[in-house]
């Protein structure tokens, strides 16, 4: 599988706007309890349902948002990148895992470069990817994707305010709610009033 184009024209002629299943959301369910369904796996990897270009576009968008969460606290933590690799391998196979990690590291390097020269460019890319997901994936699939992003932020057993802000940003870009993130984090809402200080968190198993 080749991810093809870098950013230019990536979303041109993308997937049709359609629902891929029920619109049901499960508020109040922590990220560790959200199951990655076969429908999610097929949406991102089954050739019979999507064209190669569309599938690669979805995978790329997933990795763009994952890289945004990794870099949110200003550093690249090995436990977070390893979590992404395991997630991709477990759900899409070793070939996709290898290519995904190559793309992830390029995205992290690109973020650092753009942060020094065009700080808003990467944010625009995040917004474009989120809008694509909002238009083409139903609420359940986006909820599963958001749960994966939450578990990335928790994989180093710490969550800081910048990571939380990044998760909230992604949820809005994908047409979801900030409350979806708070539900998936399974944290006391009262903490929000105290500025969400850095917290020790339990990590979840990779689906």
């Amino acid at each position: 599988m080749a991810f093809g184009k870098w950013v230019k024209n990536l979303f041109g002629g993308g997937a049709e706007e359609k629902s891929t299943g029920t619109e049901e959301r499960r508020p109040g369910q922590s990220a560790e309890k959200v199951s990655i369904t076969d429908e999610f796996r097929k949406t991102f990897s089954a050739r019979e349902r999507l064209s190669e270009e569309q599938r690669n576009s979805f995978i790329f968008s997933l990795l763009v948002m994952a890289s945004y969460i990794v870099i949110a606290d200003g550093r690249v933590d090995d436990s977070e990148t390893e979590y992404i690799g395991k997630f991709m391998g477990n759900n899409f196979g070793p070939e996709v895992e290898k290519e995904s990690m190559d793309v992830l590291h390029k995205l992290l390097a690109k973020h650092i470069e753009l942060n020094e020269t065009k700080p808003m460019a990467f944010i625009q890319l995040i917004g474009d990817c989120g809008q694509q997901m909002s238009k083409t994936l139903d609420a359940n699939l986006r909820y599963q994707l958001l749960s994966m992003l939450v578990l990335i932020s928790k994989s180093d057993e710490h969550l800081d305010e910048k990571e939380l802000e990044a998760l909230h940003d992604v949820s809005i870009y994908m047409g979801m709610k900030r409350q979806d993130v708070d539900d998936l984090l399974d944290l006391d809402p009262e903490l929000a009033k105290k500025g969400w200080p850095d917290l020790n968190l339990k990590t979840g198993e990779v689906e």
Side-chain angles (χ1 to χ4, degrees):
M1 181 186 71
F3 282 98
K5 302 174 184 178
W6 175 244
V7 175
K8 185 179 179 181
N9 295 328
L10 181 68
F11 300 102
E16 297 177 0
E17 296 188 14
K18 62 180 180 180
S19 172
T20 54
T22 176
E23 295 295 323
E24 180 185 3
R25 183 175 63 87
R26 298 183 178 87
Q29 187 176 34
S30 67
E32 288 82 0
K33 296 179 180 178
V34 175
S35 296
I36 300 301
T37 63
D38 286 341
E39 183 182 10
F40 183 95
R41 296 184 182 96
K42 289 178 180 179
T43 297
F44 282 87
S45 64
R47 297 185 182 220
E48 67 270 17
R49 291 192 56 180
L50 296 172
S51 71
E52 184 77 1
E53 181 179 0
Q54 290 168 342
R55 180 166 58 94
N56 291 344
S57 181
F58 278 141
I59 291 282
F60 183 84
S61 295
L62 182 156
L63 292 171
V64 165
M65 290 186 284
S67 70
Y68 183 49
I69 302 306
V70 170
I71 207 74
D73 59 2
R75 60 190 178 88
V76 177
D77 192 286
D78 288 342
S79 62
E80 294 179 339
T81 57
E82 288 171 6
Y83 182 91
I84 295 169
K86 290 179 180 178
F87 179 91
M88 300 303 288
N90 288 352
N91 289 287
F92 309 120
E95 180 184 355
V96 176
E97 176 182 0
K98 182 180 183 302
E99 294 195 43
S100 295
M101 293 308 290
D102 289 342
V103 172
L104 177 66
H105 289 302
K106 289 178 181 178
L107 283 169
L108 292 171
K110 193 67 174 178
H111 174 84
I112 294 172
E113 175 190 333
L114 290 176
N115 195 47
E116 296 175 351
T117 58
K118 300 178 181 179
M120 293 306 296
F122 201 84
I123 299 299
Q124 181 61 52
L125 178 58
I126 301 297
D128 290 343
C129 291
Q131 288 177 20
Q132 183 204 33
M133 296 302 187
S134 177
K135 292 178 179 179
T136 56
L137 301 182
D138 70 30
N140 271 345
L141 295 178
R142 282 180 280 139
Y143 202 62
Q144 291 174 54
L145 175 56
L146 188 60
S147 73
M148 174 256 198
L149 299 177
V150 166
L151 289 176
I152 292 171
S153 71
K154 296 178 71 174
S155 62
D156 62 355
E157 300 187 9
H158 289 279
L159 173 73
D160 66 25
E161 192 170 354
K162 290 182 179 179
E163 287 178 307
L164 181 66
E165 182 179 354
L167 288 167
H168 282 158
D169 288 346
V170 167
S171 69
I172 298 302
Y173 292 144
M174 290 199 298
M176 303 177 72
K177 301 176 181 178
R178 292 165 59 95
Q179 185 62 46
D180 290 324
V181 172
D182 299 346
D183 289 344
L184 287 164
L185 284 168
D186 196 25
L187 296 176
D188 185 347
E190 290 299 314
L191 289 173
K193 300 176 182 178
K194 302 176 183 178
W196 294 90
D198 188 69
L199 301 166
N200 290 322
L201 300 170
K202 295 180 180 179
T203 59
E205 295 295 327
V206 179
E207 287 277 354

